Amino acid sequence: MKTYERSFKENAVRLSYEQGEIKNLALKLGISRFTLLKWRKKFDYLKLNPKDAVILQLNKKIRDSELTLEILKNGSKHAAQGKLMTKRFIEDNLSKFPLLKMCELLQISTSSYYRLKKQEISEKQARIALLKEQVVSIYYHFNKTFGYNKITKELRRRGFKVGEGQIKVYMRMLGLRKKAKRIRATTDSIHNHYVSPNILNREFSVSEPATAWVSDITYIATIKGFLYLTVVLDLFDRKIIGWSLSDSMSTKETTIPAWEMAVKNRKITKDLIFHSDKGVQYANKLFTRTLDSYKYVRRSMSRKQNHNDNAVAESFFSSFKRELINGNKRLTKEQMRVEVYEYIENWYNKKRRHSYLGYKTIEEFNQNRES
């Protein structure tokens, strides 16, 4: 049996009174808790006097307050995220703080902590759960218009290493489906006005802005009647550079204001092809004279009953109807005007990612080109 000198025993007893605890001190000294208690009883004359005891108690309270402040400072943000994050914080700090103290301050019982520890999912399961959360977030952020291929590209842009097949499976499991496309023609091509040949000839890729613009008109149903949306789109970056939303299909309310906005937003400095269908709003004398006043503009029109000749404009309206109109309740005309403005100016032209642009936004595409 190991023996200890009297001075060692006395120092151990003094330390036990100064530190106000026995268990950890006994471990540090390499003796049992019961041995230290026996020495305290034998050397009880070493107890602190009342004045020193008060000072010791105050110091202990200060240390406890500092410990409490540190736990709350570092752990509160985890506790606000739920019990699972609280458990992870406690696990990561067991070497720094007492378990019971952390549980008490972060308002989680020790039984809950051990239950969560027992039920903890694997890292792989956690990654899958996070990935599914991201898939759902992207799906609703892009107004249910992204399929598995676009969601995969967006995930890769965010740093995830995933394949299209994997995301396709997750979307099926989560019951997420891309909105279906719906297309309907609107303009009247039965008239006696001059019809231009199809100069564009489906050359929808151009290398510079203001080289080829396409235009079309669609209708939007509201609670009381229809609104008519006319757009002018630059094939270079697919930006809607001109548009109008009118109560009637007259040229003065549809194609004229859309054209005027387009030439204000993007200057014509060389040859420009302006392509549309054969609708009366594009073929009549008023609009023809307007275009003829610009010396660089050449007219181009789709062939009879061939929507593919103006496929880019048709595609825009398909996305517009799918992302904004289809499946939503009808609005008043005033409400719809606000929604259309938000869609074109703040969503489509700024935030929406376009497959033609390599899944970049229009702003990102133009910034990369200029840099």
Side-chain angles (χ1 to χ4, degrees):
M1 183 177 178
K2 188 174 182 179
T3 58
Y4 299 90
E5 293 182 359
R6 181 185 180 90
S7 60
F8 178 85
K9 295 178 182 178
E10 289 179 341
N11 285 331
V13 171
R14 287 192 186 95
L15 284 172
S16 72
Y17 286 124
E18 288 174 4
Q19 296 184 10
E21 56 89 25
I22 294 176
K23 184 179 178 181
N24 290 336
L25 178 62
L27 287 172
K28 290 178 181 178
L29 296 174
I31 60 177
S32 71
R33 175 173 172 271
F34 298 105
T35 298
L36 185 54
L37 285 170
K38 184 172 69 173
W39 292 351
R40 280 169 60 119
K41 188 175 182 181
K42 182 178 180 179
F43 304 108
D44 59 349
Y45 58 85
L46 294 173
K47 285 182 180 179
L48 297 173
N49 59 51
K51 182 179 178 181
D52 290 338
V54 170
I55 294 173
L56 177 66
Q57 191 65 24
L58 288 172
N59 287 333
K60 186 178 178 182
K61 286 183 178 179
I62 291 171
R63 287 197 301 272
D64 187 65
S65 296
E66 290 174 344
L67 184 67
T68 298
L69 180 62
E70 192 172 358
I71 292 173
L72 289 175
K73 181 180 177 181
N74 297 316
S76 295
K77 59 184 178 182
H78 295 82
Q81 298 178 53
K83 289 187 176 180
L84 183 59
M85 293 303 293
T86 305
K87 184 212 61 120
R88 290 179 182 173
F89 171 80
I90 292 172
E91 276 188 331
D92 293 341
N93 290 275
L94 283 174
S95 61
K96 293 174 60 179
F97 310 123
L99 171 63
L100 293 178
K101 189 73 172 176
M102 287 191 286
C103 288
E104 176 189 353
L105 292 173
L106 301 178
Q107 298 183 345
I108 182 173
S109 66
T110 52
S111 59
S112 294
Y113 167 76
Y114 285 116
R115 185 173 65 252
L116 288 168
K117 188 174 175 64
K118 186 177 180 181
Q119 296 173 349
E120 185 175 21
I121 62 175
S122 67
E123 286 189 19
K124 181 179 179 181
Q125 290 172 315
R127 285 196 300 271
I128 291 173
L130 175 61
L131 188 55
K132 286 182 178 178
E133 286 179 9
Q134 288 291 313
V135 169
V136 173
S137 173
I138 293 168
Y139 175 76
Y140 284 104
H141 177 74
F142 290 98
N143 201 18
K144 307 178 186 178
T145 62
F146 273 21
Y148 67 88
N149 53 346
K150 287 188 178 181
I151 289 180
T152 301
K153 286 181 173 63
E154 179 66 16
L155 285 167
R156 288 172 181 167
R157 192 185 68 82
R158 296 184 183 187
F160 290 88
K161 295 181 179 179
V162 292
E164 290 186 353
Q166 181 184 6
I167 302 307
K168 187 176 183 179
V169 170
Y170 290 161
M171 289 188 70
R172 189 183 302 122
M173 292 169 60
L174 295 165
L176 305 179
R177 285 187 176 183
K178 170 181 167 181
K179 284 183 180 178
K181 295 183 178 181
R182 293 170 61 185
I183 302 175
R184 178 182 282 180
T186 54
T187 51
D188 179 13
S189 59
I190 303 175
H191 53 73
N192 295 320
H193 298 291
Y194 172 75
V195 174
S196 301
N198 184 7
I199 298 173
L200 185 63
N201 197 28
R202 302 190 188 180
E203 291 292 333
F204 299 130
S205 296
V206 296
S207 58
E208 294 182 35
T211 302
W213 295 351
V214 296
S215 182
D216 203 356
I217 303 174
T218 193
Y219 73 94
I220 305 170
T222 69
I223 291 175
K224 291 186 178 180
F226 293 93
L227 289 173
Y228 301 94
L229 175 62
T230 308
V231 298
V232 177
L233 182 150
D234 193 321
L235 289 178
F236 170 69
D237 56 5
R238 299 307 199 253
K239 185 173 185 178
I240 301 299
I241 56 172
W243 61 279
S244 69
L245 192 61
S246 57
D247 290 289
S248 78
M249 287 283 283
S250 72
T251 303
K252 289 183 178 181
E253 292 189 32
T254 56
T255 52
I256 293 292
W259 169 263
E260 290 175 345
M261 183 189 291
V263 295
K264 182 179 179 181
N265 287 332
R266 193 158 284 184
K267 302 299 182 184
I268 305 171
T269 58
K270 52 189 171 183
D271 287 348
L272 166 72
I273 297 175
F274 181 83
H275 184 84
S276 68
D277 62 19
K278 297 177 181 179
V280 66
Q281 294 83 4
Y282 295 101
N284 65 55
K285 291 181 180 180
L286 176 59
F287 190 68
T288 298
R289 283 197 299 267
T290 300
L291 293 192
D292 287 345
S293 66
Y294 293 82
K295 64 178 180 178
Y296 293 118
V297 178
R298 290 190 294 160
R299 303 290 307 278
S300 175
M301 287 185 173
S302 301
R303 285 161 291 194
K304 187 176 181 180
Q305 295 181 340
N306 199 328
H307 297 293
N308 291 330
D309 286 347
N310 203 12
V312 177
E314 295 280 0
S315 177
F316 166 76
F317 282 139
S318 174
S319 299
F320 170 80
K321 292 287 183 76
R322 187 173 72 253
E323 295 173 8
L324 180 64
I325 307 300
N326 295 346
N328 295 329
K329 63 181 182 180
R330 288 189 179 181
L331 306 175
T332 65
K333 287 187 176 182
E334 291 73 20
Q335 291 170 329
M336 185 58 72
R337 289 181 188 278
V338 173
E339 291 292 323
V340 171
Y341 177 89
E342 286 293 322
Y343 179 86
I344 293 176
E345 297 295 348
N346 295 329
W347 168 249
Y348 185 87
N349 279 349
K350 292 182 179 179
K351 298 178 182 178
R352 190 182 191 275
R353 297 192 175 278
H354 301 263
S355 57
Y356 175 77
L357 304 180
Y359 293 96
K360 295 183 178 70
T361 65
I362 292 172
E363 291 186 344
E364 288 172 347
F365 174 78
N366 285 315
Q367 285 170 3
N368 292 341
R369 172 178 172 269
E370 292 167 3
S371 59

